[in-house]
Amino acid sequence: MSGPVDAIVTGVGAYLPANAVSNSDLEMRVETSDAWIQARTGIRQRHVAADGELTSDLALAAARAALTDAGVDGAELDLIVLATTTPDSTFPATATKVQAALGMTQGAAFDVQAVCAGFIYAVSVAANALAAGQAAKALVIGAETFTRLLDWNDRSTCVLFGDGAGAILLEGRPSNGADRTGVLSSHLHSDGRYYDLLYVDGGPSSTGTTGHVRMQGPEVFKHAVNKLSDAVREALAANDLESGDVDWFVPHQANKRIIDGTAKKLGIDPGRVILTVDRHANTSAASIPLALHQGVADGRIKKGDLVVLEAIGGGLSWGASVIRW
Ligand code: ACO
């Protein structure tokens, strides 16, 4: 394809493990309460992958659903970008397992690691590849078995997270220039000075173990609302748009208070916010595509709508994307 290219969304898919764990179930494991979790986070339940169910299994289920939605065969793909913090193995990339299972033998498949911001990073990488003519059909997946990183004795973190996967198919189409559709732009940021606020205390090069999530929750919270609202403002301004133009705000689903605070700061109507944190908890890189799938499946997100995505996570890493659906 020569000339400018739009990276348009042609399919969306999602997968959640069958086992839903309620806050009351967690009361049996750590000293916590349904009331505390709901009041501080908005979370009511989370899904937890079964023993032997891997990130690649979740990713594959979401990928197949997105391909079916688009009417595209896996063999037609020429790019898979999979955002995950919980790969099946240290290497190779989990994306290559998905690639093989989909019957895709051309192009490239690789993982992107930006923790909870991973899906924004993956959308950016895939849309840029389409715009550069490096690929024509790109599957962007966010998939996590994040509960495997939890210290189940640490109540300040173990109640917050869940497992799941979501995927979107991006296809390159000739752009008519003025009236662009698809991914309009993505805006990525990181600041490694904040490493200590949210990290895993293990890794192949440091301890040789997988490690567990460690977090200074209130500090992360403070950074989240400011950095997310700044990133969304930057993304809207880059496209000559304002918050009043946003049809659907699809934030990373970490905590309802962060989402409410960010939407309020941006002046986005609460009725325009897609929320899944109550049922999914924080699924890290999977949370945005899971929420996108919810919004499309229930008929809220429609063709032509302006959709804004944002996320922040360990690093700190954060960003925002603007999509004309
Ligand atoms: N159940 C009951 N009590 C708890 C629990 C729990 N699960 N966890 C902590 N507490 C207690 C604390 O021990 C503390 O008790 P104390 O006052 O006796 O010392 C009290 O509750 C208040 O603790 P805080 O940490 O100050 O509670 P806060 O209101 O800040 O809420 C939370 C904690 C929910 C983690 C919040 O800070 C938060 O959401 N931060 C953002 C972090 C986040 O979402 N991270 C996800 C990854 S990054 C991202 O995706 C954005």
Side-chain angles (χ1 to χ4, degrees):
M1 210 179 301
S2 60
V5 170
D6 283 345
I8 67 164
V9 183
T10 57
V12 186
Y15 174 79
L16 288 162
N19 183 23
V21 176
S22 69
N23 292 344
S24 313
D25 294 331
L26 290 184
E27 288 175 5
M28 324 270 186
R29 256 178 124 151
V30 282
E31 199 183 327
T32 191
S33 67
D34 176 43
W36 190 96
I37 299 170
Q38 286 213 42
R40 301 288 173 127
T41 70
I43 296 166
R44 289 190 286 115
Q45 64 163 41
R46 73 285 295 139
H47 290 255
V48 175
D51 287 346
E53 195 174 28
L54 307 185
T55 293
S56 61
D57 298 319
L58 277 53
L60 184 59
R64 286 199 167 119
L67 289 170
T68 301
D69 188 39
V72 167
D73 191 89
E76 296 174 50
L77 295 171
D78 47 16
L79 181 64
I80 297 178
V81 185
L82 193 159
T84 190
T85 300
T86 46
D88 291 9
S89 317
T90 304
F91 82 84
T94 300
T96 57
K97 274 197 173 177
V98 176
Q99 178 189 28
L102 291 176
M104 169 191 163
T105 53
Q106 59 189 353
F110 57 91
D111 293 354
V112 159
Q113 160 58 297
V115 209
C116 297
F119 192 74
I120 302 284
Y121 276 59
V123 164
S124 176
V125 168
N128 287 343
L130 294 182
Q134 286 180 311
K137 288 186 170 66
L139 198 53
V140 186
I141 308 171
E144 302 277 16
T145 47
F146 207 89
T147 61
R148 306 236 159 99
L149 296 178
L150 298 176
D151 173 354
W152 290 100
N153 296 311
D154 176 7
R155 67 177 182 173
S156 70
T157 53
C158 75
V159 302
L160 302 176
F161 296 92
D163 302 331
I168 62 173
L169 183 67
L170 290 179
E171 295 192 53
R173 295 280 159 79
S175 176
N176 70 6
D179 200 15
R180 292 183 58 221
T181 53
V183 181
L184 302 185
S185 65
S186 296
H187 303 264
L188 309 183
H189 296 277
S190 58
D191 190 337
R193 291 176 298 172
Y194 299 116
Y195 178 99
D196 288 348
L197 299 189
L198 179 53
Y199 64 98
V200 162
D201 61 2
S205 159
S206 53
T207 60
T209 61
T210 303
H212 292 122
V213 173
R214 304 296 171 206
M215 180 174 73
Q216 297 177 36
E219 285 302 310
V220 173
F221 192 109
K222 278 183 230 154
H223 282 283
V225 174
N226 288 329
K227 288 183 165 47
L228 290 170
S229 45
D230 285 351
V232 170
R233 280 200 195 100
E234 176 192 6
L236 289 171
N239 294 286
D240 292 324
L241 295 164
E242 295 173 359
S243 48
D245 296 318
V246 177
D247 292 304
W248 298 108
F249 183 51
V250 187
H252 170 49
Q253 310 279 322
N255 182 317
K256 187 168 185 303
R257 287 159 58 215
I258 294 177
I259 295 171
D260 290 348
T262 308
K264 191 171 172 201
K265 221 166 167 204
L266 289 164
I268 292 175
D269 182 327
R272 296 267 149 211
V273 181
I274 302 220
L275 272 180
T276 52
V277 67
D278 55 331
R279 283 155 294 139
H280 302 169
N282 182 349
T283 57
S284 187
S287 91
I288 290 175
L290 278 165
L292 277 174
H293 177 262
Q294 178 68 61
V296 171
D298 65 24
R300 279 179 288 176
I301 299 177
K302 292 186 287 298
K303 198 169 160 46
D305 283 351
L306 189 79
V307 178
V308 171
L309 320 178
E310 49 86 323
I312 186 166
L316 293 174
S317 305
W318 68 101
S321 297
V322 182
I323 302 178
R324 177 69 69 188
W325 208 258

